[in-house]
Amino acid sequence: MLPAKSVLPGEAISNQIGASKTYFQKILRKLADSDLIASVPGKKGGFKLKKTPSEIRINDIFLAIEGQQALYYSNNVLGELVHKKDKEACVLSDLMERAETSWITVLKSETISSLFTELHKEKEWQD
């Protein structure tokens, strides 16, 4: 929501959200490495979005911070409990795969802009 050429220092952002400055700097670095934000060096430097808020999907942010790994990994406990082979005991794995697909679909459907709009509506409702 900054003017076009403005930036925010990482410290100001971490203070605003109440995050550890050190930890937040690591997150900012991941976001910059993923080309979601630009890092502007110097005394008056800081960070700014590289795209508009409506172009940045929440899934993009999640992937930048958490990486591409699956949320669930089966170690076949269910199969061992019911004495079945992997193929016969994949019910839980299938369920978790569907859940992960749903999770990703939701994250892809929301943007920074849509969340901001939703938060703004909530604030108006509370006011």
Side-chain angles (χ1 to χ4, degrees), residues 22-32 37 61 64-65:
T22 306
Y23 178 72
F24 196 66
Q25 287 293 340
K26 290 178 185 178
I27 290 179
L28 289 172
R29 178 63 23 221
K30 288 180 178 186
L31 294 171
I37 62 173
I61 297 167
I65 295 170

Side-chain angles (χ1 to χ4, degrees), residues 36-124:
L36 295 174
I37 62 173
S39 174
V40 179
K43 186 177 178 181
K44 294 186 178 185
F47 297 89
K48 64 180 180 177
L49 296 177
K50 281 190 133 180
K51 301 175 182 177
T52 65
S54 61
E55 294 174 312
I56 300 176
R57 305 218 168 270
I58 302 306
N59 192 59
D60 299 333
I61 297 167
F62 177 79
L63 291 175
I65 295 170
E66 297 297 332
Q68 295 277 350
Q69 77 275 3
L71 298 174
Y72 173 77
Y73 173 77
S74 173
N75 57 9
N76 199 32
V77 171
L78 180 62
E80 291 174 13
L81 287 174
V82 295
H83 306 292
K84 299 281 184 177
K85 295 178 185 172
D86 284 343
K87 267 189 168 177
E88 296 170 336
C90 63
V91 175
L92 181 59
S93 291
D94 289 347
L95 172 67
M96 296 306 286
E97 187 175 317
R98 287 194 334 259
E100 186 165 345
T101 299
S102 295
W103 160 274
I104 292 168
T105 299
V106 169
L107 293 182
K108 285 181 176 179
S109 73
E110 298 291 340
T111 64
I112 293 175
S113 182
S114 67
L115 290 184
F116 179 80
T117 300
E118 193 64 33
L119 288 171
H120 189 67
K121 283 183 198 174
E122 183 74 21
K123 187 175 184 323
E124 285 177 357

